Amino acid sequence: MSSTPASLPERIEISEEGLVLRDWTEADVAVMPELFDHPDIAYWTPIVSPFDEAAARARLDLARRIRADGTTILLAVTVDGGAPLGEVMLRRAAGGAEIGYAIGPAHRRQGLAVRAVRVMAAYAFRELGAEQLILELEAENAASVAVATRAGFGLLDVPLITGEEKGRPFALQTWGLKRP
């Protein structure tokens, strides 16, 4: 068995659960700041802040580069393949993958994050052969803990991941979901 993971597809579009997860495009750069330039996203995620058009362009370039490297997928969360409402991420890890997400403030409380996580989880199990998926969340982030629970993840009995980002300390819990 080779230790080199299979390459990731050049283009991805996944339609499930009333969502279309698709690649970011040049046309999305103008909309990305309204999704990601928000205090909640600045606080709870590693996404840069402030998030302006230059940050959007850098994120689009990053999405393309890490896909080509075969490590990570960043997809726009949409309901119809059109306007992005947020982002979902899948990063390969030993034996599985990590999922992350951010939904724009105007689009929250619609179940988008839960559905995006479930769709991305199904993709990881089906297409990448992942055995386990994880979410890394701060316990104080009640919205993300609710997403993890509703998406079927359970809190794992593993040490907290601690560090500092954007000048503030963090302690991440690890939530897991095994292949069905």
Side-chain angles (χ1 to χ4, degrees):
M1 176 189 254
S2 171
S3 63
T4 304
S7 63
L8 296 172
E10 191 174 312
R11 294 187 36 83
I12 298 175
E13 183 171 291
I14 310 165
S15 299
E16 294 176 30
E17 293 206 31
L19 295 179
V20 178
L21 306 181
R22 63 160 176 81
D23 292 311
W24 288 104
T25 68
E26 295 289 333
D28 297 325
V29 169
V31 179
M32 290 170 83
E34 76 183 52
L35 298 174
F36 302 134
D37 191 37
H38 189 271
D40 287 348
I41 290 175
Y43 189 83
W44 296 116
T45 77
I47 293 174
V48 300
S49 179
F51 196 96
D52 55 14
E53 189 171 334
R57 171 113 358 250
R59 189 129 186 111
L60 177 62
D61 293 343
L62 172 69
R64 291 173 174 164
R65 188 174 62 254
I66 58 183
R67 170 89 59 85
D69 290 347
T71 59
T72 307
I73 301 167
L74 296 177
L75 298 177
V77 175
T78 77
V79 293
D80 58 4
L85 310 174
E87 177 176 85
V88 64
M89 180 244 358
L90 179 69
R91 177 182 302 128
R92 289 178 161 169
E98 176 188 357
I99 294 178
Y101 49 87
I103 302 297
H107 310 292
R108 294 181 184 157
R109 301 202 181 281
Q110 300 173 37
L112 296 171
V114 173
R115 290 185 286 155
V117 167
R118 286 194 306 238
V119 170
M120 191 60 97
Y123 177 85
F125 290 135
R126 179 179 66 240
E127 301 297 327
L128 302 181
E131 293 298 321
Q132 177 170 301
L133 302 173
I134 61 167
L135 300 171
E136 295 174 345
L137 314 171
E138 292 186 61
E140 297 81 16
N141 187 343
S144 280
V145 169
V147 167
T149 302
R150 291 195 325 250
F153 285 69
L155 184 59
L156 301 179
D157 186 18
V158 297
L160 292 174
I161 300 164
T162 59
E164 184 175 312
E165 186 150 353
K166 298 181 187 175
R168 77 170 189 89
F170 64 80
L172 302 174
Q173 297 176 325
T174 303
W175 293 70
L177 178 68
K178 291 206 179 283
R179 173 189 281 282

Coordinates of all heavy atoms in Angstrom, one line a residue, residues 19 107-116 118 150:
L19 N -27.7 21.5 -0.8 CA -26.6 22.3 -1.0 C -25.8 22.0 -2.3 O -25.9 20.8 -2.7 CB -25.6 22.2 0.2 CG -26.1 22.6 1.6 CD1 -25.0 22.4 2.6 CD2 -26.5 24.1 1.6
H107 N -26.1 34.5 6.7 CA -26.7 33.3 6.2 C -26.7 32.2 7.3 O -27.0 31.0 7.1 CB -25.8 32.7 5.0 CG -25.7 33.8 4.0 ND1 -26.7 34.2 3.2 CD2 -24.6 34.5 3.6 CE1 -26.2 35.1 2.4 NE2 -25.0 35.3 2.6
R108 N -26.5 32.6 8.5 CA -26.5 31.7 9.7 C -27.9 31.3 10.1 O -28.9 32.0 9.7 CB -25.7 32.3 10.8 CG -24.3 32.5 10.5 CD -23.5 33.0 11.6 NE -22.1 33.2 11.1 CZ -21.3 34.1 11.7 NH1 -21.6 34.8 12.7 NH2 -20.0 34.2 11.2
R109 N -28.0 30.3 10.9 CA -29.3 29.8 11.5 C -30.2 29.2 10.4 O -31.4 29.3 10.5 CB -30.0 30.9 12.3 CG -29.2 31.4 13.4 CD -30.1 32.1 14.5 NE -29.3 32.6 15.6 CZ -28.8 31.9 16.6 NH1 -29.0 30.6 16.6 NH2 -28.1 32.4 17.6
Q110 N -29.6 28.7 9.3 CA -30.4 28.0 8.3 C -29.9 26.6 8.1 O -30.3 25.9 7.2 CB -30.2 28.7 6.9 CG -30.6 30.2 6.9 CD -30.2 30.9 5.6 OE1 -30.2 30.3 4.6 NE2 -29.8 32.1 5.7
G111 N -29.1 26.1 9.1 CA -28.6 24.7 9.0 C -27.5 24.5 7.9 O -27.2 23.4 7.6
L112 N -27.0 25.6 7.4 CA -26.0 25.5 6.3 C -24.7 24.8 6.8 O -24.2 23.9 6.1 CB -25.6 26.8 5.7 CG -26.8 27.6 5.0 CD1 -26.4 29.0 4.7 CD2 -27.2 26.8 3.8
A113 N -24.2 25.1 7.9 CA -23.0 24.5 8.4 C -23.2 23.1 8.7 O -22.3 22.2 8.3 CB -22.5 25.3 9.7
V114 N -24.3 22.7 9.3 CA -24.5 21.3 9.6 C -24.6 20.5 8.3 O -23.9 19.4 8.2 CB -25.8 21.1 10.4 CG1 -26.2 19.6 10.6 CG2 -25.7 21.7 11.8
R115 N -25.3 21.0 7.4 CA -25.4 20.2 6.1 C -24.1 20.2 5.4 O -23.8 19.2 4.8 CB -26.5 20.9 5.2 CG -27.9 20.6 5.8 CD -29.0 21.1 4.9 NE -29.1 22.6 5.0 CZ -29.6 23.4 4.1 NH1 -30.0 22.8 2.9 NH2 -29.6 24.7 4.2
A116 N -23.4 21.3 5.4 CA -22.1 21.3 4.7 C -21.1 20.3 5.3 O -20.4 19.6 4.6 CB -21.5 22.7 4.7
R118 N -21.9 17.6 7.0 CA -22.4 16.2 6.6 C -22.1 15.8 5.2 O -21.6 14.7 4.9 CB -23.9 16.1 6.9 CG -24.3 16.0 8.3 CD -25.7 15.5 8.6 NE -26.7 16.2 7.9 CZ -27.7 16.9 8.5 NH1 -27.8 16.9 9.8 NH2 -28.6 17.5 7.8
R150 N -25.0 18.2 16.0 CA -26.1 17.9 15.0 C -25.6 17.2 13.7 O -26.4 16.5 13.1 CB -26.8 19.2 14.6 CG -27.6 19.7 15.8 CD -28.6 20.8 15.4 NE -28.3 21.7 14.4 CZ -28.0 23.0 14.5 NH1 -28.0 23.6 15.7 NH2 -27.7 23.7 13.4

